[in-house]
Amino acid sequence: PAVVPLAAPKATGVTVDGYRLELHEEDHTATILEITEDAVGIDADGKLTIPSTIEVEGSTYTPTALGSGSVLRQNGKVKELVIPEQITRIELRTFTQAKALEILVLPSTITAVGDSGMLTVQGSRALKKIAIETPAVKNLENSFSSSCINLKEVVLTDGLEQIGNYAFQGLPIEQIILPSTVTEIGESAFTDCVSLQSVTSVSGSQLTTIKVAAFSGCTKLSVLPDLSTVTFIGDDAFLGCISLTGHLDLASVTQFDEYEKWGSGAFSGCTGITGVTLGTKLTELPPKIFSGCTSLETITVPEGVTVIGESAFANCTGLKKAELPNSLTTIPTGLFSGCTVLEEVTVGSNDGSQLASIAEKAFSKTPDTLKVTIHTAKNMVTGGEDLGDRVEFTVESIEAKDDTISTG
């Protein structure tokens, strides 16, 4: 762009034709602290291209940074901001509360974003599109939240590592493509994004962590990112995602978090899921994890799981068959409560079940035709009286004193 002539006294801090500047005499660079409605360069459509050089009292200064104090807070004219390649640094709050800004592109020539790579544009209520092309943005924690009420289009690039806590909560975005460098989706990052339909990953995804309530209430979400590298999923992560359908492959997950603050289950209410593959490194399933998954037809809990939380499969009204591992020691309260078409539950195999107890109401509101097969002896298991003749033990008795199996 052509040099914009600005006449003003030379000083450490000056305001010139709508640009409030901090001048750096040692290298003749400048930090733009504020852009007001009188700024030179705003066109009739509200587009502003920041000048690549600025003249102050006969000396030329190059803007290389945008300051930390919300540079467009008082500007009701600038709808689109074009940042020249000379500007290589912005701050955490450079674009917070931008009064009229609708389109923002952060070019790849920006090499520093604050001291930690975290960016927020909270309070920029007019913002409709943001394209983050710079790899210097590392974390979007609480970046947009529910205050950017018109934000629908978000473009991200490699370099970003975290979609942080509450990043897009409640916003009208419809799709997100995750860069391969994203490793974590934070707590409530997309909670109640009711227009969100797809979250996809590019090739080489490094995503490992999906935290508490990350996609809770995303009722239109039907396409998930690549989960093949995910090892941790928090409670309520996909609560109520009723548009998720088909088989869910969770083979890489080694831990589902139980978080007392929420406690509704990571996939609770996902009514379109028909099947699930669970990983072989799991040791626990938290309470209610698949409760209310009404289309779930079968479930196999892998060997190594010793604890299943209460009501983990409660009200799965389409569930017909469940296989539980030898390693499970307790069938908890409400595990299959309300599974109204459940036909068959098998606990263990080859007479090796370690089951020691069946909690009261574990099988409440299940059919009279249900068959439960437990691969151990009846005298090794307490509880389960309400099952009556619906339960069968594969071993007649086990003598506790020497653990010898007797078959009669």
Side-chain angles (χ1 to χ4, degrees):
V3 172
V4 177
L6 301 174
K10 186 183 296 186
T12 302
V14 297
T15 300
V16 181
D17 288 346
Y19 291 90
R20 187 161 64 89
L21 309 170
E22 179 181 331
L23 303 179
H24 310 292
E25 299 289 352
E26 65 278 6
D27 57 3
H28 274 235
T29 61
T31 297
I32 297 176
L33 303 177
E34 183 180 2
I35 303 170
T36 72
E37 293 181 348
D38 298 323
V40 171
I42 304 175
D43 69 16
D45 295 322
K47 183 176 181 178
L48 172 62
T49 299
I50 296 173
S52 58
T53 57
I54 295 175
E55 286 191 6
V56 180
E57 201 182 40
S59 296
T60 300
Y61 292 83
T62 301
T64 58
L66 298 178
S68 61
S70 183
V71 296
L72 291 169
R73 183 173 184 175
Q74 302 298 325
N75 195 314
K77 291 184 178 180
V78 174
K79 297 180 179 180
E80 180 177 357
L81 188 67
V82 179
I83 301 172
E85 63 181 13
Q86 289 82 3
I87 292 180
T88 59
R89 182 181 179 89
I90 61 175
E91 302 297 335
L92 167 66
R93 294 182 174 84
T94 292
F95 298 106
T96 57
Q97 299 181 2
K99 194 172 181 179
L101 189 64
E102 297 179 1
I103 300 174
L104 177 63
V105 177
L106 301 180
S108 60
T109 48
I110 293 175
T111 58
V113 180
D115 295 326
S116 63
M118 189 178 294
L119 174 72
T120 178
V121 294
Q122 276 197 22
S124 298
R125 298 173 70 85
L127 191 64
K128 296 178 180 179
K129 174 183 177 178
I130 184 168
I132 300 174
E133 299 175 353
T134 170
V137 175
K138 302 299 182 184
N139 190 347
L140 294 178
E141 181 162 343
N142 212 12
S143 294
F144 308 96
S145 194
S146 55
S147 61
C148 297
I149 58 175
N150 291 296
L151 184 62
K152 291 186 177 181
E153 187 175 352
V154 178
V155 179
L156 306 174
T157 194
D158 274 356
L160 182 66
E161 297 172 357
Q162 296 182 38
I163 307 290
N165 299 345
Y166 310 101
F168 298 99
Q169 183 181 24
L171 299 186
I173 54 175
E174 297 179 356
Q175 65 173 0
I176 287 282
I177 300 175
L178 299 179
S180 63
T181 50
V182 171
T183 61
E184 179 178 303
I185 298 175
E187 181 177 329
S188 297
F190 296 95
T191 294
D192 295 331
C193 289
V194 295
S195 297
L196 184 63
Q197 299 175 34
S198 70
V199 180
T200 55
S201 306
V202 299
S203 178
S205 174
Q206 300 173 41
L207 183 65
T208 62
T209 302
I210 300 175
K211 288 193 171 181
V212 173
F215 296 98
S216 175
C218 295
T219 54
K220 292 185 178 180
L221 182 64
S222 60
V223 179
L224 293 182
D226 181 5
L227 300 179
S228 64
T229 56
V230 173
T231 58
F232 178 94
I233 295 179
D235 201 23
D236 282 16
F238 297 92
L239 172 66
C241 292
I242 59 176
S243 296
L244 292 179
T245 59
H247 192 93
L248 196 61
D249 189 348
L250 304 174
S252 63
V253 178
T254 59
Q255 182 182 359
F256 293 102
D257 185 37
E258 179 182 350
Y259 191 40
E260 294 180 1
K261 179 180 177 182
W262 302 92
S264 294
F267 294 93
S268 180
C270 293
T271 55
I273 294 174
T274 57
V276 177
T277 298
L278 295 172
T280 57
K281 294 183 180 180
L282 285 170
T283 59
E284 296 185 23
L285 291 180
K288 303 179 184 178
I289 182 170
F290 296 108
S291 64
C293 292
T294 55
S295 297
L296 186 65
E297 298 176 354
T298 64
I299 187 71
T300 299
V301 179
E303 197 62 52
V305 173
T306 59
V307 176
I308 301 178
E310 294 183 2
S311 302
F313 308 113
N315 299 314
C316 291
T317 54
L319 187 65
K320 296 180 180 180
K321 180 179 179 180
E323 296 181 1
L324 306 180
N326 281 326
S327 51
L328 185 67
T329 58
T330 299
I331 296 178
T333 300
L335 181 60
F336 295 106
S337 176
C339 295
T340 54
V341 298
L342 189 61
E343 299 173 357
E344 179 183 352
V345 175
T346 303
V347 184
S349 60
N350 299 320
D351 301 339
S353 174
Q354 301 300 306
L355 191 70
S357 64
I358 301 173
E360 187 178 358
K361 299 183 179 179
F363 293 89
S364 65
K365 300 179 182 178
T366 54
D368 292 339
T369 54
L370 170 65
K371 179 182 177 181
V372 179
T373 302
I374 302 176
H375 282 256
T376 189
K378 182 176 182 179
N379 68 306
M380 301 300 291
V381 181
T382 60
E385 290 81 3
D386 55 334
L387 281 171
D389 59 5
R390 296 185 296 171
V391 63
E392 175 185 335
F393 293 87
T394 61
V395 180
E396 184 173 327
S397 67
I398 297 177
E399 297 181 17
K401 64 178 182 179
D402 58 6
D403 294 328
T404 302
I405 297 177
S406 172
T407 58

